[in-house]
Amino acid sequence: MAHYQFKREQFLNTDIDTIWDFASSPTNLKEITPDEMLFHITSENLPEKMYAGMIITYVVSPLLGIKTNWVTEITHVKDKHFFIDEQRIGPYEMWHHQHFFDVQDGGVFMRDIVTYQPPFGFLGAIANALIIK
């Protein structure tokens, strides 16, 4: 089964405290998820800040509006440096998402690395080539 990796980098004209406060708040996940995913957080009573071991549940519709339950665990957090979330239940065979924040002159360099494996073997590989990536 093939694994794929998606990387995105961007420079943010802000300070680390501002971006970390936003990015480390689980209630803001909907704000940074593409609208076409029809992302809805189903976890109740989420804390203000994420922590290692935290489980977050969602409903997403990644394809043709079909609703899918998704459960992720925040596996690592280093305050104002990085956090990692991993799928526990959801549409992928495997999902590992790293979020890095590096202070640079005049702002913050943010880097995301998503390593994933689509479901359905060969059909998943085709779906990755046509839709997912």
Side-chain angles (χ1 to χ4, degrees), residues 63-109:
L63 186 61
L64 303 174
I66 300 167
K67 292 183 179 183
T68 303
N69 291 317
W70 197 342
V71 178
T72 59
E73 178 181 358
I74 305 301
T75 59
H76 299 81
V77 177
K78 183 174 180 187
D79 192 51
K80 299 179 185 172
H81 290 281
F82 71 89
F83 67 91
I84 299 171
D85 62 270
E86 297 181 7
Q87 175 188 281
R88 294 296 176 242
I89 298 169
Y92 294 91
E93 289 293 320
M94 189 274 290
W95 174 273
H96 183 269
H97 187 179
Q98 303 169 82
H99 313 255
F100 296 98
F101 303 85
D102 297 310
V103 176
Q104 295 186 354
D105 291 338
V108 177
F109 185 72

Side-chain angles (χ1 to χ4, degrees), residues 8-25:
R8 281 290 186 262
E9 300 174 339
Q10 61 183 323
F11 181 79
L12 304 170
N13 189 18
T14 189
D15 62 275
I16 189 63
D17 292 327
T18 300
I19 191 58
W20 184 259
D21 285 347
F22 179 83
S24 66
S25 173

Side-chain angles (χ1 to χ4, degrees), residues 33 37-40 58-62 65-70 91:
T33 302
M37 293 288 291
L38 303 175
F39 182 91
H40 176 71
Y58 330 84
V59 172
V60 296
S61 300
I66 300 167
K67 292 183 179 183
T68 303
N69 291 317
W70 197 342

Side-chain angles (χ1 to χ4, degrees), residues 103-120:
V103 176
Q104 295 186 354
D105 291 338
V108 177
F109 185 72
M110 188 173 73
R111 183 169 37 109
D112 283 278
I113 303 170
V114 178
T115 305
Y116 63 97
Q117 179 181 351
F120 309 122

